[in-house]
Amino acid sequence: MFYSKEEFKEELTKRLAQDDGKKEPRIAYAVLGAMVKEMVEEEWIRTKERYEKSEAKQLYYFSIEFLIGRLLGQNLHSMGIFTIVREGLEELGYSLEDFEEMEPEPGLGNGGLGRLAACFLDSLAALQLPGHGCGIRYKGGLFTQQIENGFQMEIPTDWIKETENWEVRREDLAVEIPFYGRLHPHLTDIEWVKAVPYDMPIIGASGGTVNTLRLWQAEVSERPLPAHKDFEEYTVETAAISDRLYPNDSLVSGKILRLKQQYFMCSASLQIILKTLPSSVRQLPDQVAIQINDTHPAIAIPELMRLLLDEEGLDWDEAWNLTTRTISYTNHTILGEAMEKWDSHLLATLVPRVYEIIQEIDRRFKAQLQEQHCKEEVFKKMSIIDNGIVKMAVLAVVGSYKVNGVAQLHTDILKNREMKELYKQFPEKFHNKTNGITHRRWLIKANPELTNLIKESIGEEWIKKPILLNDLDKFVGNPSFQEALKTVKQTKKNQLIAHVEKAGDSLIDPHSIFDIHIKRFHGYKRQLMNILHIQSLYDRIKEDSTYRPYPRTFFFGGKAAPGYEFAKQVIKLINVVADKINKDPLVRKHIHIVFVENYNVSHGERMFPAADVSEQISTASKEASGTGNMKFMMNGAVTLGTLDGANVEIVEQVGKENAFIFGLHSQQIMQLEKHKTYRAQEVIAQNQELESLTARLFRGELSNGSENISFIHKQLVDLNDPYFVLKDFNSYAAMHEKVLGAYEDPQLWSRMSIKNIAESGVFSSDRTIQQYSDEVWHLEKILSTS
Ligand code: 26Y
């Protein structure tokens, strides 16, 4: 194919000539895509052959979400031809950046959990480990957010348009999924759904490994329908299975379609795994590891049992032994409302045989507990089926050999509180694996300017071993490195401004502090606290003619689940306050607000590198880990945050003098929750500023008089401020003052920023994946010989 710029230009020109010599960028973009595809395919086939020959153990990462982001740029990077292609295109009169913008973003995830899955695939391939993703090929990913008159509007978007260069339909590997039916004693009247895999190459960074992300599409089966079933209805219901991602990441919906998606993905993936095993199914745990990303694929446990019992003819004990040595489970949340619980009737109707198996797993586990004379309440907590409800987290723990949380604090909370009883029962299963992010997308690709500076300073070894970023420690006090870093940061801020201004905003001060809060909108993430604080700054600037703080631009970005009214009202409130502040000629010199519409992976790539301050202000104990915090840190932003999730470990790495930590600790929050001793109204009564702020908020004055803030009112008053926004407000505001002080000392700020980059290597997902591999999956590296 091509290995130099000249070869690339020649090849592209030749192909364009064959294509009638058309020169439009769209056509060149498509031709480039086809060329890359061919190059990847060769390596992909070679990797598969190596895996087959070596009979190496394969990992399958089961996830209902893979938030992979745009592929063109990342794939060129991984293949080591990004610069060749960028420069070659430029010489031919095209822009790679424009090409990248043409690609629709595959938003096949909601947020953290889906993006984590994508980072993990990147690390697996880069580390040359045989690990693959299994998910759903949703026709539409997460909705596009449009802000109209300050309100979030949701626009459904279909991402599958020009994907043929990034995926291969594998009709030959299609399988059939049984839904519904009646048991008497065999399953009859099944409604079969055909599952067709579309494979995407996951290219390891210049290592010759190409793994697979397999996304399943639902299609009508050619098998006969049960007599009672209407064909049209069946067609519509089938297409719906892979039509759309559920846009909710915190409140379980309990909808039958969601359960169908989960079962569809798990059954299809398991069937093909079993079909393509190199040796006897009795060696399953030596050949395969399956990681389930939260409980969304937990139905894989009884489904694997079903396949082993009914299709492979094993007996219960043997099947259970194999299942519980193959599957491991990661928990990502402790929020009660996000814990999956399925109605028994729903399961019994949709997947009768699977439900029968869940009942048997539950019966056997309960018998074991009874033998141990387990106390009534402990017994209830550990029941898989309780009162007509199937608790998926309990099923996931009982059916896995390893269970993990995603940051140390989160794992401790699982062990000591959320899953205390299960931890006591299975102490050996529990472990922590602190999340990570791929430094290839979030540093090297997103911030080439910083990457170059780092390379000039400490060489290139850190690219393969990101922990070596700590060689930058010796530059913390180095004036010329500090200057160079400032220049890089300024460049990234200018680029972000140019991007945002395209979208209509033109008042951003490029020399202001960029304070950025980007993540899904949720009560516990406390965007409300941020905007209330900004309003208080506005008040102060208006009232106190001596208060003229250093200019700051506050960026927000994030989507609210469509039915989450509180979160939507916070978005509206931010936009109304933004409007007021940005129009005020006095105030806007000091503070400015930018709401970035439709925050997604591509926006993230522009925003993390431009940030000075990383807002990580969740109520302590509520954010399992966070991964945005790591992306900011790696790009030299300083954390303003609570001791929650992985923030705790970030502070451990950089030292508390290099972060701005405020607010109640998780222990204090949990005590207040347990003893119900918090009184939000007392906090308001004791603080004049809060009293005035909330009074005006509740009168609707902050939100334009007429806007509805009923859900915000309900949350802060009727529900007694469950996320401690008011309680933490003062210490948050005080810490903002410290941030200002530090920023006004440029040397101090540079030191903090460099220290953050230097300590960020441990948060590369390469570290996380190596730990999973060593301690859970036991994979071996399969090196390419070329
Ligand atoms: C069941 C359904 C409503 C549901 C769908 C998606 C529930 C949860 C989710 C997604 C959860 C999620 O993204 N959790 C985040 O996972 C990240 C990766 O581990 C963590 O960093 C982050 O703290 C956590 O909120």
Side-chain angles (χ1 to χ4, degrees), residues 699-701 703-709:
R699 284 199 300 268
E701 287 171 24
S703 53
N704 242 355
S706 60
E707 303 305 346
N708 189 350
I709 48 104

Side-chain angles (χ1 to χ4, degrees), residues 377-392:
E377 48 179 280
V378 175
F379 182 85
K380 194 174 159 61
K381 282 244 163 89
M382 285 200 277
S383 303
I384 297 171
I385 307 178
D386 181 22
N387 240 330
I389 299 287
V390 180
K391 297 183 282 184
M392 298 309 273

Side-chain angles (χ1 to χ4, degrees), residues 64-65 110-114 116 246 248-253 258 262 293-296 330-333 337-340 406 435 524-525 622-629 645:
I64 215 85
E65 306 191 1
N110 274 285
L113 165 143
L116 184 76
Y246 269 92
N248 209 316
D249 70 342
S250 47
L251 195 68
V252 287
S253 61
R258 171 107 183 155
Q262 299 185 348
N293 201 17
D294 217 290
T295 55
H296 321 149
T330 304
N331 173 287
H332 295 264
T333 189
E337 65 269 32
M339 288 292 189
E340 287 195 297
V406 289
N435 281 165
Y524 82 84
K525 296 183 190 278
K622 306 289 178 198
E623 187 71 272
S625 159
T627 43
N629 46 6

Side-chain angles (χ1 to χ4, degrees), residues 275-338:
K275 244 192 216 173
T276 53
L277 280 183
S279 54
S280 156
V281 74
R282 294 194 158 79
Q283 260 91 57
L284 186 67
D286 306 320
Q287 306 175 71
V288 166
I290 294 171
Q291 186 72 34
I292 58 173
N293 201 17
D294 217 290
T295 55
H296 321 149
I299 202 161
I301 292 163
E303 175 63 3
L304 180 54
M305 286 296 289
R306 181 185 75 84
L307 294 167
L308 295 176
L309 295 167
D310 301 355
E311 304 291 326
E312 304 288 337
L314 303 188
D315 67 25
W316 182 277
D317 289 337
E318 211 170 2
W320 184 243
N321 178 286
L322 294 176
T323 299
T324 52
R325 289 196 298 131
T326 300
I327 296 184
S328 47
Y329 155 60
T330 304
N331 173 287
H332 295 264
T333 189
I334 51 170
L335 295 181
E337 65 269 32

